[in-house]
Every structure is written in structure tokens, then in C-alpha cells.
Amino acid sequence: MARRQSSAPVVDSTPYTENIVDIDVTSEMEGSFLEYAYSVIYSRALPDARDGLKPVQRRILFMMSDMGLRPDRGHVKSARVVGEVMGKLHPHGDAAIYDAMVRMAQDFSLRLPLIDGHGNFGSLDDGPAAPRYTEARMAAAALTLTDHLDEDVVDFVPNYDNQLTQPEVLPAAFPNLLVNGATGIAVGMATNMAPHNLVEVISAARHLIANPDATLDDLMRFVPGPDLPSGGRIVGLDGIRDAYATGRGSFKTRAKVEIEQLSARRTGLVVTELPYMVGPEKVIEKIKDAVNAKKLTGISDIVDLTDRKHGLRLVIELKNGFNPNAVLQQLYRYSPMEDSFGINNVTLVDGQPQTLGLVQLLTVYVNHRIDVVRRRTVFRLGKKKDRLHLVEGLLIAIVDIDEVIQIIRSSDEAAAARARLMSIYDLTEIQANYILELRLRQLTKYSRIELEKEQDELRREIAELEAILASDERLRTLVSDELGAIAEEHGTPRRTLLLESEAVSPTVAADLAGTNGKKGKPAPLALEIADDPCWAILTASGQVGRTGNQEPLAEAGPRTKHDVFTSVVKTSARGEIAAVTSQGRMLRLQVMDMPVLPPVTGLPNLTGGVPAKDFLTLLKGETLVAFVPLDEVLAIGTAQGVVKRVQPDYPLNREDWEVISLKDKDFVVGVAPAGADDAELVFVTAQAQLLKFGADNVRPQGRTAGGMAGIKLAAGDRVLFFGAVQPKDEAAVVVTIAGTTGALPGTAPGTAKVTAFSEYPAKGRATAGVRAHRFLKGEDTLFLAWAGHGPAKASSAAGVARSLPQEHGRRDGSGVPLSQPVDAVGPAMAWPDPA
């Protein structure tokens, strides 16, 4: 037992008296705690199921409405609003009021913000500025929550000192609790409700109004799941259905991530939407901690490019050789890019905390809204009847206005005049008082016409209001129509994507193919890309890329867009190849750095690569000639007719080196693997001379050598094409395109000829060769020449397919006129599978 001692002050000479009361501590603590718990639950932490607001939120909106802070008015200091709310309605600290006010202004917290804030109202990572620095006014949506408060639509209760009154609940023209959600921690209970889409929730409410016996499945056709302000993705809908059925459940949210080619050599994950209430700074911090703890691998950098214009953009750069989808799985596991949201729909219903499902939540709201509209209709009906009563009395007085004036003038006082008017014209006291207060300007003939018109309008409106009150169906229809108008005015498209299960892209599906998972689930993706065989590709338009792992190059079918392959090198995903430039340099390349070309009808999508100029660092005036393997003997031809076979003894510790010593003004025009001595090397010159000879005529040299004479050139001639044709290739062809030197580009397509390679006789090295194309009148040069495995395909510089002659021409014959210019020629047949 404990004692509580009380004492009374000494008055005059009265001695001090002592009064000790014995109380039971257990009973005292139970009673005090229960009072405190009830106060927290009912007056602070839990929202009302009808308007979806906690008391502090309701008081803020009511006070802002009372202050006239409408959307068409100017903003006022937030501190002023906080002071008014604290001084008149909410007897708690200003910090709690301002925090509630800030949350109602944040578009990342509420799906439909209720306050229009001006200034720094915070972010997901930072708090707001002080209330003396920010300004606020009501948002347009908040007006629909407070409309018609002056029409007796809800009960008013005294404030904390009984000097003012405040609404017990707001009229709430839309289901705010479901639309904006709620969060709060009370004593022994808590609430956590997810935001939803306004249009979907109102559609469900209207369906419930029309069909009071609607089931959960019926309503979930309109409300399939939450719609979070931050967007993102919800993966798995079972927990959502549980929450809608019982009021408790959970779901998993994920960031919206796209795999992008950040540069010619770098791939990255770009995050544009995060889970609800997760900020980018928190994500960055957690990712860095996981990388330092060796939980996350494959990440080289993370950059926050978020701004007000473009919104959230978080770029996660990946190291080469790592599977982006596997890294993304790691990020979901070890960072807030995947988060869980636990739904706990605890809300106040008739002052009692209850856990409600979707049907119950909408039912409580619909009943509240029907009651609001009924009370508003009753109030308006009373006002209309009161006005009609006055108008009818005034019309009686105007008919005999002279007598009325005489009665008033002859009366000693107002009470006598009122009594005589009531007696003579059978008026009520209210009508008589209104006549006594009549202004002279209302006695005109026009005023009488206006009164009669008003009388008819009032009778029509009264009949309409009475019809609404007399028919429950008409009342429900009115409520439904008003909800539809709110949805049309304030509705926005859904932001959150709902996924029944984890979405798997075609790339991920291919990675998962053949893996053995447990309990029907796929095994985790391999983090590092395997060293599988692939093709490294260089196209005539300068695009660089590689095929996917183990993806063969199939034969191309008819296509409207086709870029010609300049080089196709058999390699592996973690292998190395080389690039040869026009200045005789060889550059070492990592195949892993090349972007993967997505397949299209059996071929890589040639538009999915990156420009070679962005992938390689070239010198001024230098161009890329070809991709070549690093482990084969290569044949190199120059514009001045020099040929060289180079041994693959390249330096291991250098990224670039000279592969041929060039003479002044000479440059490399072609390079091709020529390890076999029986391969045939081919020169084609601008003056249409073709020379082919065996590779065994050119002995392999070291990389610093300058080569030897390959073809004898006439004065003013130069080599247009150099390549190698594999031994006994019966399908090899030669393509030549002739034209006029002085013609403007694109104005004269020229003539083309396709000839079987076997028709050209072999000649000795350093000879002039044979004629490969007979010029027509006006033609004096070859624009383009190519020799290789046929059939050949042609394209423009932009990668658009061009036609070549179908029939093979004679070795020294002339060409067939082209309808469109040709800028590149290459092989059309498939290469064998690299495996």
C-alpha cells in the first residue's frame, strides 16, 4: 500500500491538519494507464474509418478551412496555421501538429496530398524546414473533405476548453482512408494502411452503393491492390487478398529497374522508382555497406542523378563480366530496393478500434457518406421551406401594399403593427417580421415578378429534395454520382505495377533455363558471366557488339533493315581479340566490354551495338579496319599495294602496338586471318584490276616489319579492297561497283557486277593482275569492291538493305545499273557455331 498525503493551507490561527489517504497502487496504476491508453487510441493515434483522419489532421484541415486558406488564395506561413490549431483545437505540442501538416503535403507520403505546401516540406531522406520558413494552403482535394460543413452534415463537439466547437468527423467526399492510407502507433495496437488509387477505390464504392451485398471478389475487380505514391512494383498478391479479407496481410515491393548501356564499355542498373517510403540516400548507404562487407559484388559505382525535372534516377554501374540480372537479385536481397509492407487495418468505428477488411472499410464509408448527403438534403430542404414561407408572406403583402403601409404607419409600435398584420392577412410572426423589415426598393413591380419566379423555383427544388429523402434509391444514386465527379476531377492513372509473381525477362529466363531449383523455384542466377563461346562483330556502319552466350549466327532471312558484317571473330565471352586501324595499329579488346546484341529472327540485332568511335580511342584521321583474332597469322594489305603476313607474337603487357610499318601516305585497307598457306590473298584496285595469289607466296614476318610488294599499281591507281578467301571456297564471289569520279554522292548509283571468284586466274605476287570490271561510257573508277564467301549482301551507310544483280557476270564484263547507291558489301551466309 502507498499513501497519498494532502494538506490544507493555514488560515488565520487554524493549526496545520494532515489528511492521509491509503490507496491501492495497482488499482491506481490500472485506472491511470487505461485513461492514458484510451486517450492515445481515441484522440491521437488511430484514424476514423469514416474520413480516414486522425484528430490532429482533422483539426488542421478544419482550421485551414475556417481561415479561408483555399487553393485560389495565397499561401500563409505554416507557423500561423500551427498556432491557430494549437490555440483553439489541439492542446498538444506544436511539433506534433507541424509533423502531421507536413505529411499531408508530401506527395511521396500520400497518394492524394491534402495540403499545398510552398517551401521545403522535406524528402524521404531529409526533414522539412521549420514552420516559420514554409507556407501552406489547402489542396483542391482537401476542399472535398470539408465541403458543406455549414449545412449540418456532421455533429460538432466542444473543443478542449468548451469555448469553441469542432466537427466530430469531416464529410469526406471520397474514401480518404483507403486512398491515402494511414500509420499510427497506439497503446497495445497499431495501424498501417497502404495508399490506393482514387479512381479504383471510388469505382468499388460506387459498385457497393449499387450492390450492397457485393463480395470481396466483386470489389477486388475494381481494387486489385495498393497504388503507392512512389510507384514501384508489388510482387505477389496473396498477402494483399489476405489483408482485404481479414484486415491483416503483407506484400513485397520492389524498385523499378532497367538495364541500360551507360557507355560503350559499361552496363548499369538504372533505378527510377523505389519502394514506398524508401529514399535514395538510404539505398546508396545500404549498398555501400553491403559492398564493403563483401555481400554485394559486381558493383563499381553508384551515382544519384535525381532532380526535380526528371525525378528519381539512381545509376548503379556494374563491373565487366557480371550478369546484371544476378546483381539485381543481390540488390533485392541486401538493400532496401526490395521491402515488405505489412497491412494492419486498425481503425476507429463508432469510437472503438476494429480491424476491418476491404468490404467493411468501404461499407463504413458508404454509410457515412449516405448519412452526410441525407443530412445535407434535410438541411437544404429546411432552408428552402423557410425561404418559401417568407416569399409567400411577402407576395401577400405586395398585393395590398398600400394597406400594409397604412397599417404600419398607424401603429404606435412595431409589436402592434406585427399583431395587426398577422390578424388581418393571416401571417405568421416570421412573415410579419420580414414584412416590417422590408425595404422600399423591394416594392417595385419587377420585384414582384422576381418573387413569383423564385416561389416557383423553390417549390420545384423542395419537391426534388423531398423526392430524394423519400427514395433510398435516389439518395444512393446521388451519392454515387458525386463520387464519380470526384474521381473524374482528381483521379490519376495507376503508378504501381502489380505482379502475381516475380516477372522474368527473356534474358533471365534464358539464364535460368536448365537450372535446378528447390521446391519448384529456379536456382539463383550465376553472378559472373561464363566464358562461353560467342562472336565478336564489327559492322560496315561502325557498330560493335557480341552475340549472346552460345548463340550461333543463323542465316539472315529477308529484312528491310540489314547492316553488313565487316568482321566476325570467333571468341569467348571472357576472351580477347584485336582491332586493326588504318594507321597500322593493333588494339587489344576485351570481349566482355562489348554490348550483347539482342537476337532478331536468328541474327543479332545489329542496331543494338555501340558506335566503334565510342568503343575505341582512335587517333586523328584514323579509322577502324577490322576485328581479328590474336592467335592466328594475319594478312594485311595497304592502299599502296603492300602485303604482309604477320606472326601472332604480340606483346602481352601492352594495350596497343604497331602491326605493320607503313610508308608515308600509305594506310591499311584490309586485314584477314590467313594462317593456311593455301589461302588466296586478293587485291582489287580503283582502276578495276584484281590480283589473287596464294598466301604461301608471302612469308610471315614479325610485327615491326614493313611487308613486301603485293600488287603492281598503275600510275594514279590505289588498292580499294584487300582480303583473304579460304581454300577451295566454291561459293566465293567478287562484287564490283563502278561509277564516275566527279559524280556527287548519291546522284549516280553506278553499275554493279557479281562474278564467281573462281573465274579470276591466279597471278604471281607483285604483278598487275587482271581486269575485273569493264567500264561503261562515263565510268572511270570503282566505288566499291569486295571478295569473299557468297552470296553477298549490300546495304546503305544507314544499314538499309540494297539489291545486287542476281546473275553472275563475266570476269571482264560491265555492270548492271543500280537503282540506289550501295555503301557496303559483305557476306550473307551464316558462320558455323562458335562452339
Side-chain angles (χ1 to χ4, degrees):
M1 303 289 290
R3 293 184 174 183
R4 183 168 60 190
Q5 180 175 306
S6 61
S7 60
V10 176
V11 180
D12 296 335
S13 59
T14 303
Y16 173 79
T17 59
E18 184 178 75
N19 182 21
I20 299 176
V21 179
D22 291 334
I23 63 171
D24 181 56
V25 174
T26 303
S27 300
E28 180 71 15
M29 290 297 294
E30 288 178 353
S32 299
F33 185 77
L34 285 175
E35 290 181 7
Y36 166 75
Y38 179 79
S39 174
V40 171
I41 292 171
Y42 182 73
S43 300
R44 297 177 69 175
L46 299 183
D48 194 292
R50 294 169 290 180
D51 62 4
L53 298 172
K54 300 177 185 179
V56 63
Q57 297 170 327
R58 186 179 302 115
R59 289 162 181 165
I60 290 171
L61 294 179
F62 172 66
M63 186 51 63
M64 293 182 76
S65 176
D66 190 62
M67 295 169 65
L69 304 181
R70 301 172 60 84
D72 55 352
R73 309 283 178 84
H75 295 79
V76 302
K77 287 290 185 181
S78 299
R80 178 181 167 190
V81 178
V82 172
E84 289 288 311
V85 174
M86 182 172 59
K88 294 182 178 180
L89 302 178
H90 197 69
H92 300 284
D94 57 339
I97 299 173
Y98 186 54
D99 287 346
M101 184 176 173
V102 164
R103 186 176 186 276
M104 289 193 289
Q106 293 174 335
D107 57 2
F108 54 82
S109 295
L110 301 189
R111 188 61 179 82
L112 188 63
L114 303 177
I115 289 179
D116 178 13
H118 182 69
N120 178 15
F121 274 81
S123 68
L124 288 167
D125 297 306
D126 297 307
R132 62 182 178 274
Y133 298 122
T134 62
E135 298 177 342
R137 63 184 178 188
M138 297 179 73
L143 290 181
T144 65
L145 295 180
T146 57
D147 268 353
H148 314 303
L149 277 174
D150 56 347
E151 294 185 298
D152 191 34
V153 291
V154 295
D155 294 333
F156 276 69
V157 296
N159 70 333
Y160 64 91
D161 59 3
N162 292 320
Q163 293 186 10
L164 301 171
T165 59
Q166 59 184 335
E168 182 184 37
V169 66
L170 294 185
F174 66 89
N176 178 61
L177 185 58
L178 279 168
V179 172
N180 282 324
T183 180
I185 301 176
V187 179
M189 62 184 66
T191 185
N192 197 35
M193 303 181 67
H196 290 76
N197 185 272
L198 175 70
V199 177
E200 295 175 356
V201 172
I202 286 182
S203 297
R206 297 184 70 183
H207 181 78
L208 187 63
I209 291 172
N211 305 275
D213 297 328
T215 64
L216 177 60
D217 291 335
D218 295 335
L219 297 184
M220 285 191 67
R221 290 192 293 110
F222 302 97
V223 186
D227 186 22
L228 307 176
S230 57
R233 290 172 165 83
I234 293 179
V235 181
L237 305 183
D238 292 340
I240 294 175
R241 181 176 176 80
D242 292 341
Y244 287 168
T246 66
R248 294 178 184 272
S250 65
F251 58 86
K252 184 167 60 177
T253 60
R254 282 184 172 180
K256 180 181 179 182
V257 186
E258 300 291 342
I259 300 174
E260 293 187 8
Q261 194 71 33
L262 304 180
S263 66
R265 296 175 180 267
R266 285 290 184 184
T267 302
L269 303 174
V270 179
V271 183
T272 54
E273 295 176 3
L274 286 172
Y276 184 45
M277 300 307 292
V278 174
E281 290 186 11
K282 179 181 179 182
V283 172
I284 293 173
E285 179 184 357
K286 292 295 184 181
I287 290 177
K288 289 182 177 179
D289 291 344
V291 169
N292 293 334
K294 307 299 183 182
K295 294 180 179 178
L296 279 175
T297 55
I299 296 175
S300 62
D301 195 11
I302 181 168
V303 182
D304 187 4
L305 301 179
T306 303
D307 57 31
R308 292 184 177 180
K309 182 177 180 181
H310 301 95
L312 176 69
R313 185 173 175 85
L314 203 60
V315 179
I316 303 172
E317 296 184 6
L318 304 182
K319 296 178 181 178
N320 290 330
F322 285 84
N323 187 338
N325 291 294
V327 176
L328 183 57
Q329 282 189 349
Q330 282 194 326
L331 287 170
Y332 285 147
R333 181 178 181 184
Y334 295 112
S335 78
M337 287 174 57
E338 178 178 288
D339 198 12
S340 292
F341 188 98
I343 297 177
N344 190 23
N345 295 339
V346 179
T347 182
L348 294 176
V349 181
D350 297 329
Q352 301 296 322
Q354 296 183 21
T355 303
L356 305 181
L358 178 63
V359 177
Q360 293 78 20
L361 285 169
L362 284 174
T363 300
V364 171
Y365 170 76
V366 167
N367 291 338
H368 167 64
R369 191 59 192 168
I370 290 174
D371 183 62
V372 165
V373 175
R374 180 186 291 110
R375 291 181 61 164
R376 185 188 68 193
T377 305
V378 170
F379 178 85
R380 291 178 176 177
L381 178 60
K383 288 293 184 181
K384 298 296 182 183
K385 287 183 176 180
D386 291 344
R387 178 59 184 170
L388 178 61
H389 186 61
L390 295 177
V391 170
E392 289 174 341
L394 192 56
L395 283 172
I396 293 174
I398 289 180
V399 171
D400 199 8
I401 191 61
D402 294 334
E403 182 64 24
V404 170
I405 294 174
Q406 181 60 33
I407 292 173
I408 296 173
R409 292 187 62 184
S410 61
S411 300
D412 294 333
E413 56 184 4
R418 178 170 55 249
R420 292 175 64 187
L421 287 173
M422 293 171 60
S423 174
I424 296 173
Y425 293 104
D426 195 21
L427 300 175
T428 64
E429 184 177 352
I430 295 175
Q431 290 174 322
N433 285 331
Y434 188 69
I435 292 172
L436 289 174
E437 296 171 359
L438 192 66
R439 295 181 180 182
L440 292 177
R441 67 182 181 184
Q442 293 179 258
L443 302 180
T444 64
K445 180 179 180 181
Y446 183 70
S447 295
R448 179 179 176 181
I449 295 174
E450 286 183 334
L451 287 173
E452 290 175 345
K453 182 179 179 180
E454 183 181 1
Q455 182 185 42
D456 295 339
E457 181 67 19
L458 287 170
R459 286 174 177 170
R460 185 191 63 79
E461 292 175 351
I462 288 171
E464 184 176 343
L465 294 173
E466 288 177 339
I468 292 174
L469 293 174
S471 171
D472 183 68
E473 182 179 354
R474 292 193 62 174
L475 179 63
R476 286 177 169 271
T477 301
L478 176 60
V479 173
S480 179
D481 291 343
E482 290 181 354
L483 283 171
I486 294 293
E488 184 175 353
E489 182 178 358
H490 299 286
T492 55
R494 166 172 279 276
R495 299 176 185 172
T496 302
L497 179 64
L498 302 177
L499 301 174
E500 188 71 39
S501 60
E502 183 174 351
V504 179
S505 67
T507 304
V508 178
D511 291 338
L512 291 174
T515 59
N516 295 319
K518 296 181 179 180
K519 297 181 181 179
K521 295 183 179 180
L525 296 176
L527 183 59
E528 296 190 21
I529 297 175
D531 193 20
D532 291 329
C534 65
W535 295 101
I537 299 173
L538 171 66
T539 72
S541 62
Q543 296 291 308
V544 173
R546 63 181 174 90
T547 61
N549 297 342
Q550 298 179 340
E551 180 186 323
L553 283 175
E555 183 175 355
R559 286 157 55 103
T560 58
K561 187 165 186 177
H562 171 71
D563 198 357
V564 170
F565 292 167
T566 297
S567 300
V568 179
V569 179
K570 177 182 177 181
T571 179
S572 64
R574 293 184 172 274
E576 292 181 337
I577 63 170
V580 179
T581 72
S582 59
Q583 294 187 12
R585 287 199 310 147
M586 182 175 279
L587 309 176
R588 189 188 305 273
L589 301 178
Q590 302 295 327
V591 178
M592 187 62 65
D593 293 348
M594 298 181 181
V596 177
L597 302 173
V600 174
T601 62
L603 268 178
N605 181 1
L606 303 175
T607 60
V610 296
K613 61 182 179 61
D614 296 336
F615 189 75
L616 297 169
T617 302
L618 300 177
L619 304 177
K620 184 178 180 180
E622 190 176 33
T623 59
L624 178 60
V625 177
F627 284 170
V628 292
L630 282 169
D631 56 354
E632 294 187 28
V633 175
L634 303 178
I636 302 173
T638 73
Q640 294 182 4
V642 175
V643 64
K644 175 183 179 182
R645 289 177 74 198
V646 58
Q647 295 279 11
D649 56 347
Y650 310 122
L652 300 178
N653 57 348
R654 292 176 59 180
E655 295 300 318
D656 66 282
W657 56 87
E658 188 180 68
V659 74
I660 183 173
S661 297
L662 296 174
K663 297 179 181 179
D664 188 32
K665 296 183 181 181
D666 197 8
F667 59 89
V668 175
V669 295
V671 55
D677 287 342
D678 55 350
E680 293 184 284
L681 306 183
V682 185
F683 281 96
V684 183
T685 73
Q687 293 184 7
Q689 291 296 118
L690 184 148
L691 172 65
K692 74 175 186 180
F693 52 86
D696 56 350
N697 293 318
V698 183
R699 61 179 178 82
Q701 297 176 303
R703 60 184 178 85
T704 58
M708 58 188 69
I711 184 173
K712 183 178 180 181
L713 297 175
D717 199 4
R718 65 180 179 86
V719 174
L720 196 63
F721 169 83
F722 173 80
V725 175
Q726 298 306 313
K728 301 178 181 179
D729 186 355
E730 297 180 357
V733 296
V734 176
V735 179
T736 52
I737 300 177
T740 304
T741 304
L744 295 175
T747 59
T751 61
K753 180 172 69 73
V754 179
T755 308
F757 182 72
S758 58
E759 289 195 16
Y760 294 90
K763 298 291 184 179
R765 180 180 62 83
T767 63
V770 298
R771 185 167 62 183
H773 193 112
R774 182 185 299 275
F775 294 140
L776 297 175
K777 183 178 181 180
E779 295 179 339
D780 58 3
T781 185
L782 290 184
F783 287 156
L784 188 65
W786 176 82
H789 184 76
K793 277 204 170 181
S795 75
S796 69
V800 179
R802 295 287 189 252
S803 298
L804 290 174
Q806 298 297 319
E807 299 290 336
H808 282 195
R810 293 185 296 108
R811 172 179 66 80
D812 60 347
S814 56
V816 177
L818 293 171
S819 59
Q820 293 175 305
V822 172
D823 298 301
V825 177
M829 291 296 293
W831 282 262
D833 192 309

